[in-house]
Amino acid sequence: MNQLREQAGRPRSSEERPQDASRYGDAALMPPVDVVEDANGITLYADLPGVSRENLHVQVEAATLTIDAEVDLGLPEGLQASHTEVGLGRFHRTFTLSQELDPDRIAADLSNGVLKLSIPKAEHAKPRRIEVTAA
């Protein structure tokens, strides 16, 4: 499964950071990811609990796939937390895509906090049968 390689994410600039994340700097949670490969390509499943479609950004630039998401961790008006275990409201993860994958045909679906990315193999990387003729 040499088709996908994880990279360290680049820190966001101050313009890209959400206002309430300033106390954490560029810190982000790294979402757990499962990668499944078959003859047609790979499927990547990333756990992003609490992320809405509007706060999810999936981007491919050159051979780099970036998943960036934010969660609204605010409390309802009038309530105050007495204990919190998750203080970061940002997910970030980057991967390098293999030349065998076709970044132009990636399909993304977010359902119940799980992002599913289907990344098909490029046509030149798919196995093909070669016909043999007798002379």
Side-chain angles (χ1 to χ4, degrees), residues 79-98:
L79 294 180
Q80 188 175 32
S82 60
H83 173 75
T84 58
E85 292 187 1
V86 177
L88 295 173
R90 179 172 173 251
F91 292 101
H92 182 82
R93 196 129 181 209
T94 59
F95 301 90
T96 299
L97 299 177
S98 162

Side-chain angles (χ1 to χ4, degrees), residues 31-36 43-47 67 114-118:
V33 171
D34 292 327
V35 179
V36 178
T43 304
L44 184 144
Y45 298 93
D47 291 336
I67 300 170
V114 177
L115 172 65
K116 176 184 175 185
L117 295 175
S118 299

Side-chain angles (χ1 to χ4, degrees), residues 52-94:
S52 66
R53 198 184 95 201
E54 295 78 24
N55 291 331
L56 174 61
H57 306 284
V58 180
Q59 176 178 318
V60 175
E61 185 175 338
T64 302
L65 170 70
T66 303
I67 300 170
D68 222 349
E70 294 182 19
V71 181
D72 180 17
L73 296 175
L75 292 170
E77 191 175 323
L79 294 180
Q80 188 175 32
S82 60
H83 173 75
T84 58
E85 292 187 1
V86 177
L88 295 173
R90 179 172 173 251
F91 292 101
H92 182 82
R93 196 129 181 209
T94 59

Side-chain angles (χ1 to χ4, degrees), residues 2-70:
N2 294 331
Q3 297 185 347
L4 186 72
R5 187 179 67 211
E6 186 173 1
Q7 294 179 324
R10 68 168 176 80
R12 283 184 167 186
S13 68
S14 59
E15 298 86 41
E16 295 177 303
R17 254 184 259 139
Q19 299 292 350
D20 60 337
S22 61
R23 65 183 171 161
Y24 298 107
D26 289 325
L29 296 171
M30 185 180 295
V33 171
D34 292 327
V35 179
V36 178
E37 182 177 10
D38 63 21
N40 298 317
I42 63 171
T43 304
L44 184 144
Y45 298 93
D47 291 336
L48 301 168
V51 172
S52 66
R53 198 184 95 201
E54 295 78 24
N55 291 331
L56 174 61
H57 306 284
V58 180
Q59 176 178 318
V60 175
E61 185 175 338
T64 302
L65 170 70
T66 303
I67 300 170
D68 222 349
E70 294 182 19

